[in-house]
Amino acid sequence: MTETVELSCQCGTLKGTVTRENGKNLPHYFCYCDDCRAFARHLGQEEQALDCCGGVEVFHTVPANLVWTAGQEQLRCLKLKEKGALRWYSNCCQTPLCTVPPSEGFPFVSLNHTALADQDRKSELGPVLGRVQLKFALCAEDSEAFARIKSEEMSLLRLVGRIIGLMLGQRFRGRKQTPFFSKGQPVSEPRLLSEEERKAVY
């Protein structure tokens, strides 16, 4: 049994679905790295995308589970750094959507919670499995907020291991569909942030 969860940008122009295979939860994490935060800042989406300590809530999946159903012409891509990941957003309302590796050969999607059409369904997709990169968190280490997120800290190495397992599973099953690449190239030309833009968001 499969279940599809509706995706949408904030204004509703760009729509899609993500599939939960066999009813399984989507791996659910918070990332506090400065890159994820810079992406939200560049789009002017700090209030919508970040928690009180500057973390981004994400769900991990593979490209074959994600389909855009309307408004694909609004899909845009940027890179924070020359060799960085591809970060996708909607041009119509600047909604952060997801992050994918820069090559089609690495089938992985980190889906921002801001891409979910129904924010009330987040908890239904699976419990928070961990929080990573707490060294970049914005709240004071002696604060109650930091103590709460510290209790759910996960090592980056462990998270990377899970991501590799997710990618290998898709490659083993031969599922090559992706809404982000066509003939090996991103479907929207990635725009690299200028040095001035990077200084403004880091």
Side-chain angles (χ1 to χ4, degrees), residues 29-43:
Y29 304 95
F30 276 80
C31 180
Y32 292 83
C33 79
D34 53 355
D35 288 340
C36 287
R37 190 156 55 240
F39 179 42
R41 283 177 173 167
H42 178 72
L43 298 177

Side-chain angles (χ1 to χ4, degrees), residues 12-81:
T13 301
L14 177 63
K15 297 180 182 296
T17 61
V18 61
T19 299
R20 297 171 62 180
E21 299 179 80
N22 300 317
K24 292 181 179 178
N25 292 335
L26 294 180
H28 184 180
Y29 304 95
F30 276 80
C31 180
Y32 292 83
C33 79
D34 53 355
D35 288 340
C36 287
R37 190 156 55 240
F39 179 42
R41 283 177 173 167
H42 178 72
L43 298 177
Q45 295 286 323
E46 296 102 317
E47 183 176 345
Q48 294 83 354
L50 306 180
D51 73 1
C52 64
C53 292
V56 175
E57 188 173 7
V58 296
F59 298 87
H60 290 174
T61 187
V62 293
N65 288 343
L66 200 151
V67 176
W68 302 117
T69 57
Q72 295 95 321
E73 70 279 359
Q74 297 298 332
L75 197 61
R76 295 291 187 276
C77 175
L78 63 81
K79 296 172 69 173
L80 300 173
K81 303 168 185 176

Side-chain angles (χ1 to χ4, degrees), residues 28-32 51 57 126-134 144-156 158-159 162:
H28 184 180
Y29 304 95
F30 276 80
C31 180
Y32 292 83
D51 73 1
E57 188 173 7
V128 176
L129 300 178
R131 299 171 187 261
V132 296
Q133 299 284 64
L134 295 190
E144 182 178 333
F146 188 82
R148 178 177 57 83
I149 65 174
K150 183 70 175 177
S151 69
E152 297 179 339
E153 185 174 17
M154 172 187 285
S155 74
L156 186 58
R158 184 181 178 190
L159 179 62
R162 290 185 176 184

